[in-house]
Amino acid sequence: MEQPDYSLESAARQRGFMRIAGVDEVGRGPLAGPVTAAAVILDPANIPNGLNDSKKLSAKKRQAVEQQIFDRAEVAIAHASVEEIDEINILRASHLAMERAVAMLDPAPDYLLIDGNLIPRGLQLPSEAVIKGDGKSVSIAAASIVAKLCRDRLMVDLAQQFPGYGWESNAGYPSKQHKDALQVLGVTQHHRRSFKPVHQMLYQD
């Protein structure tokens, strides 16, 4: 299995950049809840063990690696709300969450490695978009792990307030349980009204 490494960061360091942040978001696909982004600056002399794309790690492994990330790296996490997702669309909202996470790092990073094929337009720093970056860059992998776990916990909290949708296990994604519950329990304020299954329920003839 291919593992992410520090080579993209090393290349940026050779060009004179020192504070290199990996940036990733999670939660574009769910029908409910915010979209969450993280920005992480790793210490090249103290990189956590076991960093990988969060989707390739077991829950137990993710939590162990997350603890190392918080102990050894600079981390910022931010969200864009359901209202913002519905207002500006999910792509812009995910970029907004990324912009907010980067803005929280202090001192500011001087170079960004961003997961995906687009650089958010609000980021005015030297940046590089990295397709499938969480499998290539340890900094992006670290961001993917902390963003996912933060958002998962948020959805567990919301599940206690709005039981029945299965958010504690599906994190708001359109699982069968979630879609069935929408039919029975209806739409909550945490549902994304611009997303088709929710939109159709609200505005069907």
Side-chain angles (χ1 to χ4, degrees), residues 155 159 162-172 175 177-178 181:
M155 295 308 294
F162 295 88
Y165 297 92
W167 293 343
E168 67 284 352
S169 55
N170 64 41
S175 67
Q177 180 187 5
H178 191 177

Side-chain angles (χ1 to χ4, degrees), residues 29-200:
L31 302 178
V35 61
T36 302
V40 176
I41 299 177
L42 295 177
D43 173 357
N46 199 9
I47 293 173
N49 303 312
L51 284 172
N52 207 335
D53 172 354
S54 63
K55 295 183 285 297
K56 293 179 181 167
L57 298 174
S58 68
K60 193 175 173 187
K61 183 79 175 141
R62 265 198 299 269
Q63 287 175 355
V65 178
E66 180 198 37
Q67 190 55 58
Q68 287 188 60
I69 296 166
F70 278 108
D71 289 345
R72 303 184 190 183
E74 296 174 56
V75 180
I77 304 170
H79 311 277
S81 69
V82 167
E83 292 78 16
E84 287 169 325
I85 291 166
D86 287 340
E87 192 176 320
I88 59 178
N89 79 45
I90 184 60
L91 178 63
R92 271 297 301 141
S94 63
H95 283 182
L96 185 61
M98 286 181 170
E99 291 161 14
R100 286 173 175 161
V102 169
M104 288 166 67
L105 289 170
D106 185 21
D110 57 10
Y111 194 82
L112 305 175
L113 294 168
I114 297 163
D115 185 59
N117 61 351
L118 293 170
I119 294 168
R121 58 180 181 234
L123 294 175
Q124 303 299 319
L125 295 161
S127 304
E128 184 178 341
V130 187
I131 294 168
K132 296 199 163 94
D134 43 11
K136 296 174 183 172
S137 153
V138 280
S139 301
I140 297 175
S144 81
I145 291 165
V146 295
K148 176 176 170 44
L149 285 170
C150 174
R151 189 180 182 283
D152 284 355
R153 289 182 190 119
L154 196 146
M155 295 308 294
V156 169
D157 287 348
L158 288 179
Q160 291 169 348
Q161 300 166 48
F162 295 88
Y165 297 92
W167 293 343
E168 67 284 352
S169 55
N170 64 41
Y173 282 87
S175 67
K176 183 177 188 307
Q177 180 187 5
H178 191 177
K179 289 192 285 191
D180 289 350
L182 266 174
Q183 298 295 332
V184 177
L185 302 171
V187 176
T188 72
Q189 74 250 43
H190 298 290
H191 280 99
R192 301 173 180 181
R193 282 153 171 68
S194 54
F195 277 45
K196 197 172 177 183
V198 182
H199 189 85
Q200 283 175 331

